């Protein structure tokens, strides 16, 4: 009899409590008894996502690289991916930690009984999904999709601003000098595709492949994009002075703070698309 | 043995220090480190132990004990390596265990991400995460095994050493190659190989303590082999010792100690190199006490480094490997300079 009552109680009570179950990028399901109220984020794109979902005030700690919006800089910093300060984190008594799948702290945090969501957006579709998971975790289901719709609209608006003359032009986007490029399959590449540019690094080469510098020369991209500093030193690289895009000044050198937007798969992607569009408009205007 | 190594390992400016007293001193220091370790919190020193009980139990205690145990394993492995190769600069990572651990981690991470991408089966990605510790351990042992295989056993120490270098280089190259195909693994490897005590929990401590309980008594039991080796292979063999087999056993113990330490705490450099040195500088002993004292010294060194890592720039934390490398490097430099001026 007691058993029956327990089942009835569970049936009656569970739907009433706002338990939330979400699945993270490791395929692990996490059940939260209520929407997360004290959140630690250990990845900048996730920090930005939470803030864009109007949950910035629920953040109690962030990693050392989270720097947007400005208010998260006031929060306790808990180290980086490989040196997360576990005790400090535990002391903050978070009811949810969101971190990259590759974060070394994941196992330790779970062993300590802290609810962890491992999320690592790598593509635009990932970004959409991650925003949705975050929105569910904070008890705002549907907000993620709404936010994504805004981002999507923003990207479309940016795409509409791309000067017709530059549509279909080839582009080389450098993420690190070695050189590493953003390939067509990366989220940066997807963004460039949405802006109707053609990536010289095909999807088959992987998201962020290390290139032979000669590859870029042979490809002769119509436009070159990188940080302002990288663009400035490019002509000095052996042979790269022969890059026609550099000779003609058809390059977009982004300032570090703005470049950050371009390489974080988070809510500022629309703004990032706008940055690229701005640069393209400027390039078009300069054309003789 | 050449003169350089003799004087580097010179015993003795402290005749008052007997092995027994040094042992007692190290035990005392280990106790002190233990107490400090329980008090070194994320917000600086905290002695309100009743208040912090949960934190101490879940985090500081296993971490402090884990650092002591990992240090002891590295100290022991270092003393074994230096005895085996009759070379005071021998290091426990010498025989390919570091490169092996790195390759193991990269293999698992790369396989995980490739499989997860192609089979679209997410749990594989997670599997690769939890399998990393095991992979590092297996990789470290595999590296040493490969070295032994290439050297045709442990009969010729110089050949063994050279093969260790070769294996290190080759395995490093292979893991770099794999990283080209799967760049995501790069971050994982970097993270894993950075020496840190910050993630040691009770499970990690169990592994470390288990390896120590297994390796230390066995090493002590065969310490006389190392004593005999000091006299040279011929003399040792004339004492009736089966050198190749005993060497193999000692290499295996060294690999076990190093592999366990690496898989739990990453590459913590210099502890294994410096701990036996310190002991030999302070007392003149046979290998039995040397192994024991080196383990104790290693424990104190890494334990102290762990406490320092937590408190120097609290609330931020330094990776402990950076501290041990700094300390070890400066220590060796001072040793060399002193020796230079003394000669």
């Amino acid at each position: 009899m007691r058993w029956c009552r327990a089942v009835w109680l569970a049936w009656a009570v569970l739907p009433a409590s706002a338990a939330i179950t979400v699945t993270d990028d490791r395929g692990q399901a996490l059940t939260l008894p209520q929407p997360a109220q004290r959140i630690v984020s250990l990845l900048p794109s996730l920090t930005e996502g939470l803030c864009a979902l109007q949950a910035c005030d629920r953040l109690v700690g962030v990693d050392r690289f989270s720097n947007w919006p400005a208010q998260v800089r006031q929060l306790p910093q808990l180290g980086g991916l490989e040196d997360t300060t576990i005790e400090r984190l535990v002391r903050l008594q978070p009811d949810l930690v969101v971190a990259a799948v590759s974060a070394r702290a994941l196992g330790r945090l779970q062993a300590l009984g802290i609810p962890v969501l491992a999320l690592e957006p790598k593509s635009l579709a990932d970004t959409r999904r991650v925003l949705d998971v975050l929105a569910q975790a904070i008890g705002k289901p549907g907000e993620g999709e709404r936010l994504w719709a805004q981002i999507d609209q923003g990207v479309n608006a940016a795409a509409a601003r791309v000067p017709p003359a530059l549509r279909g032009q080839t582009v080389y986007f450098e993420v690190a000098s070695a050189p590493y490029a953003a390939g067509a399959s990366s989220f940066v590449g997807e963004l460039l595709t949405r802006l109707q540019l053609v990536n010289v690094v095909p999807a088959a080469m992987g998201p962020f492949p290390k290139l032979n510098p000669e590859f870029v020369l042979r490809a002769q991209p119509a436009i070159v994009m990188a940080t302002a500093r990288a663009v400035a030193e490019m002509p000095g690289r052996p042979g790269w002075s022969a890059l026609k895009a550099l000779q003609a000044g058809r390059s977009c050198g982004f300032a570090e703070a703005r470049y950050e937007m371009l390489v974080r798969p988070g809510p500022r992607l629309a703004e990032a698309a706008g940055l690229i569009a701005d640069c393209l408009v400027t390039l078009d205007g300069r054309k003789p | 043995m050449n003169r350089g190594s003799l004087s580097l390992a010179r015993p003795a400016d402290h005749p008052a220090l007997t092995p027994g007293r040094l042992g007692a001193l190290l035990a005392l220091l280990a106790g002190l480190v233990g107490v400090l370790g329980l008090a070194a919190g994320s917000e600086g020193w905290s002695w309100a132990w009743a208040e912090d009980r949960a934190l101490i139990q879940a985090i500081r205690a296993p971490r402090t004990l884990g650092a002591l145990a990992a240090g002891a394993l590295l100290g022991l492995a270092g003393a074994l390596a230096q005895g085996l190769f009759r070379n005071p600069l021998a290091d426990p990572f010498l025989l390919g265990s570091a490169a092996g651990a790195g390759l193991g981690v990269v293999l698992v991470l790369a396989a995980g991400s490739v499989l997860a991408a192609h089979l679209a089966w997410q749990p594989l990605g997670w599997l690769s995460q939890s399998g990393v510790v095991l992979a590092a351990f297996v990789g470290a042992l595999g590296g040493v095994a490969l070295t032994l295989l290439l050297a045709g056993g442990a009969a010729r120490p110089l050949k063994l050493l050279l093969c260790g270098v070769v294996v290190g280089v080759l395995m490093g190259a292979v893991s770099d190659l794999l990283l080209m195909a799967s760049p995501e693994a790069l971050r994982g490897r970097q993270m894993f190989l950075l020496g840190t005590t910050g993630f040691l929990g009770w499970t990690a401590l169990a592994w470390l303590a288990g390896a120590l309980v297994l390796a230390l008594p066995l090493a002590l039991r065969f310490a006389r082999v190392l004593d005999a080796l000091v006299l040279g292979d011929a003399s040792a063999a004339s004492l009736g010792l089966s050198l190749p087999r005993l060497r193999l056993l000692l290499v295996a113990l060294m690999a076990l100690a190093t592999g366990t330490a690496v898989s739990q705490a990453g590459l913590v450099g210099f502890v294994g190199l410096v701990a036996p040195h310190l002991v030999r500088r302070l007392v003149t002993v046979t290998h039995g006490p040397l192994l024991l004292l080196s383990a104790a010294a290693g424990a104190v060194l890494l334990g102290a480094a762990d406490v320092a890592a937590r408190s120097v720039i609290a609330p931020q934390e330094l990776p402990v490997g950076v501290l041990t490398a700094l300390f070890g490097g400066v220590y060796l430099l001072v040793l060399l300079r002193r020796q230079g001026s003394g000669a």
Side-chain angles (χ1 to χ4, degrees), chain A residues 4-288:
Chain A
C4 277
R5 240 174 81 189
V7 169
W8 178 81
L9 257 179
W11 177 81
V13 171
L14 275 182
S17 73
I20 298 166
T21 301
V22 280
T23 307
D24 72 5
D25 287 0
R26 298 170 299 175
Q28 284 194 348
L30 175 72
T31 300
L32 298 167
Q34 57 168 36
Q37 300 298 329
R38 296 181 60 79
I39 308 173
V40 164
S41 165
L42 297 177
L43 196 66
S45 58
L46 300 179
T47 306
E48 296 186 8
L50 284 167
C51 284
L53 290 164
Q54 311 298 325
C56 226
D57 52 337
R58 298 198 206 174
L59 282 169
V60 293
V62 292
D63 69 306
R64 93 164 60 89
F65 303 105
S66 287
N67 55 3
W68 187 90
Q71 68 186 95
V72 302
R73 286 186 166 161
Q74 313 299 322
L75 293 170
Q77 288 195 358
L78 304 166
L81 274 176
E82 63 265 21
D83 59 347
T84 315
T85 47
I86 301 284
E87 182 178 328
R88 198 154 193 244
L89 191 156
V90 172
R91 222 177 238 286
L92 293 170
Q93 301 185 324
D95 55 7
L96 178 65
V97 174
V98 293
V101 174
S102 52
R104 193 172 167 190
L106 288 183
R108 187 73 186 104
L109 290 175
Q110 279 182 319
L112 289 167
I114 297 172
V116 177
L117 276 179
L119 299 167
E120 201 155 341
K122 285 177 188 153
S123 63
L124 293 186
D126 282 345
T127 309
R128 176 182 188 170
R129 181 175 44 77
V130 163
L131 287 174
D132 189 45
V133 171
L134 288 177
Q136 287 178 40
I138 57 171
K140 297 182 175 179
E143 284 299 308
E145 281 298 306
R146 199 169 309 160
L147 177 58
W148 178 256
Q150 274 176 26
I151 296 170
D152 204 41
Q153 228 172 6
V155 174
N156 283 337
R161 285 201 291 128
V162 175
L166 292 180
R167 292 181 187 171
Q169 296 283 352
T170 54
V171 62
Y172 164 68
F173 191 108
E174 183 170 290
V175 285
S177 62
Y180 286 90
S185 63
S186 65
F187 67 90
V188 185
E190 290 178 299
L191 210 55
L192 294 171
T193 307
R194 291 276 299 269
L195 295 173
Q196 304 170 63
L197 296 173
V198 177
N199 204 321
V200 293
V201 180
M205 289 176 76
F208 297 104
K210 180 177 179 345
L211 299 177
N212 182 332
E214 199 180 304
F215 177 92
V216 185
L217 267 181
R218 277 184 184 281
Q220 284 290 356
I223 305 163
V224 169
M225 297 182 182
T227 60
R229 192 190 302 173
V231 168
E233 55 106 2
M234 272 179 193
R237 295 181 192 168
W240 278 41
S241 54
L243 270 181
K244 296 196 181 91
L246 291 179
Q247 287 169 354
R250 280 198 310 274
S251 59
C252 298
F254 301 102
E256 292 289 343
R258 289 167 168 269
Y259 178 77
E260 239 170 40
M261 274 187 244
L262 288 161
V263 291
R264 283 185 189 172
R268 290 195 286 166
L269 280 175
E271 217 177 318
L275 270 184
I276 298 178
D278 286 345
C279 172
L280 294 176
V281 168
T282 314
L283 287 183
D284 191 48
R286 237 188 3 218
K287 221 172 51 178

Side-chain angles (χ1 to χ4, degrees), chain B residues 21-342:
Chain B
R21 280 187 198 164
L22 179 59
L25 180 68
L26 287 172
L28 198 72
L29 285 174
L32 182 68
V33 164
V35 172
L36 289 177
L38 294 187
S42 54
E43 317 293 319
W45 301 99
S46 74
W47 300 96
W49 286 0
E51 236 169 84
D52 288 341
R53 219 184 119 195
L55 280 178
I56 290 176
Q57 204 178 345
I59 297 173
R60 288 185 216 161
R63 177 179 179 167
T64 305
L65 291 172
L68 288 170
L73 282 173
L74 289 172
L76 174 69
L80 280 172
Q82 293 176 12
L84 269 169
F85 300 112
R86 280 175 267 169
N87 185 334
L89 282 180
D91 180 271
F93 300 125
L94 217 51
L95 293 188
S97 46
L103 180 58
V105 169
V106 171
L107 264 177
V108 166
L109 289 179
S113 70
V114 167
L115 287 177
H118 283 277
L119 302 180
W121 190 45
Q122 289 289 348
L124 269 174
W126 172 78
L127 249 185
S128 73
Q129 168 114 50
S130 59
V132 159
V133 171
L134 190 67
F137 180 70
V138 172
L141 294 193
V144 177
L146 185 61
T147 303
L148 281 171
L149 197 70
L150 290 179
R156 279 170 294 175
L158 185 62
K159 191 171 179 193
L160 194 58
L161 216 55
L162 287 174
C163 287
V165 173
V166 170
V167 166
V169 171
L170 287 180
M171 284 189 148
V174 172
S175 59
D176 282 348
L177 202 62
L178 281 171
L179 287 177
M180 295 294 307
S182 170
E184 297 111 80
L186 180 64
R187 207 159 59 180
R189 177 175 78 160
Q190 232 169 13
M191 233 181 290
F192 200 84
L193 293 186
L194 181 75
T196 172
T197 38
F199 302 114
L200 294 174
W202 289 112
T203 324
L205 176 63
W207 280 105
L208 291 165
L212 194 59
V213 166
L214 196 68
L216 191 57
L218 267 175
L220 291 179
R221 186 164 144 53
F222 291 100
R224 64 194 174 91
V225 179
L226 296 174
D227 290 332
L229 279 176
V230 173
L231 304 172
D233 278 23
S235 313
S238 73
L239 291 173
L241 296 172
S242 158
L243 283 186
R245 268 172 49 198
L246 289 170
R247 265 212 192 95
L248 196 63
L249 176 81
L250 290 172
V251 168
L253 287 180
M254 185 182 107
L256 174 70
T258 318
T260 314
V262 168
S263 64
Q264 302 299 338
L267 280 185
V268 178
F270 278 102
V271 172
L273 180 61
V274 166
H277 262 281
L278 266 174
V279 173
R280 276 197 304 260
R281 266 193 81 74
L282 296 173
V283 292
T284 315
V285 283
T286 55
H287 274 89
L290 177 66
L291 292 178
L292 194 60
L293 290 172
S294 296
V300 169
L301 281 177
L302 190 52
D306 172 49
V307 172
R310 278 187 265 171
S311 49
V312 169
I313 54 163
Q316 298 289 314
E317 216 176 286
L318 286 168
V320 82
V322 173
L323 275 182
T324 58
L326 261 178
F327 169 78
V330 170
Y331 173 80
L332 280 183
L333 206 65
V334 168
L335 208 64
L336 284 171
R337 286 199 71 110
R338 223 188 256 175
Q339 194 195 337
S341 62

